[in-house]
Amino acid sequence: MKDTFEVPTMMTKEDVTMMILSAKKRAGLTWEGIAEKIDMSPVWTHSACMGMNAFPKDKAEALVTALSLPQEAASVLEEPPTKVWEQSVPTDPCIYRLYEIVGVYGPTIKALIEEKFGTGIMSAIDFDMQITRVPHEKGDRVKLEMSGKYLAYNSW
């Protein structure tokens, strides 16, 4: 069966991600449904399930229980990610449009942040995001709201 997984001897984040995707599909769950089961935001839940963030111990254990994953997966879910950005722009149209937005408006976003806050960055760790559907006469719109803590650059 293609929707089952074999438990490897030494689990990686990629192994656990595949187990999660398989369990999600088998159970007919949504990311919001999984997030509700472990009392976390859908944004953080998906990101951590894809290996891009670490779960706190209690949430890792709750996810393992909720999705009937092998117990060994919990410790992998708790590990901080090793983010390697050696990929090219993804070909998925939904994702490459976000790259296009950052390419076109990135310098504008940076300039406006610096005018309002000073030289610094928006945190991607202390971060929140909401995705909502907004009715519009030209076709429904995607509303993406991002909020990250402002972090001033250190000067030493």
Side-chain angles (χ1 to χ4, degrees):
M1 254 198 317
K2 73 175 187 171
D3 290 332
T4 61
F5 53 83
E6 187 175 319
V7 179
T9 308
M10 176 80 154
M11 278 188 219
T12 66
K13 284 199 169 286
E14 292 79 14
D15 295 327
V16 175
T17 293
M18 294 310 295
M19 291 177 197
I20 291 168
L21 292 172
S22 178
K24 175 185 174 288
K25 185 175 182 179
R26 246 189 351 269
L29 292 169
T30 63
W31 290 110
E32 287 184 354
I34 294 169
E36 285 175 16
K37 286 179 177 293
I38 64 171
D39 194 30
M40 288 196 85
S41 79
V43 171
W44 187 270
T45 299
H46 181 272
S47 180
C49 285
M50 296 300 106
M52 296 306 291
N53 279 303
F55 277 106
K57 183 178 181 58
D58 62 329
K59 300 302 180 179
E61 291 172 356
L63 184 73
V64 164
T65 300
L67 297 181
S68 301
L69 301 176
Q71 193 58 45
E72 298 84 1
S75 65
V76 176
L77 290 166
E78 293 174 54
E79 294 172 6
T82 306
K83 295 178 183 170
V84 179
W85 301 102
E86 293 180 12
Q87 67 182 25
S88 61
V89 175
T91 57
D92 180 304
C94 188
I95 298 172
Y96 75 66
R97 290 295 186 199
L98 294 172
Y99 279 74
E100 184 176 37
I101 290 166
V102 171
V104 172
Y105 296 104
T108 301
I109 294 167
K110 179 183 187 315
L112 295 174
I113 287 172
E114 289 185 353
E115 279 185 3
K116 292 181 184 296
F117 294 92
T119 304
I121 60 172
M122 178 176 73
S123 175
I125 296 169
D126 190 347
F127 178 84
D128 186 35
M129 182 169 59
Q130 297 291 323
I131 300 170
T132 51
R133 184 178 189 146
V134 179
H136 191 277
E137 68 273 359
K138 292 182 180 179
D140 289 355
R141 302 180 71 82
V142 176
K143 183 176 180 182
L144 178 64
E145 294 177 87
M146 296 184 289
S147 172
K149 181 179 178 181
Y150 170 73
L151 302 170
Y153 286 131
N154 290 333
S155 49
W156 24 48

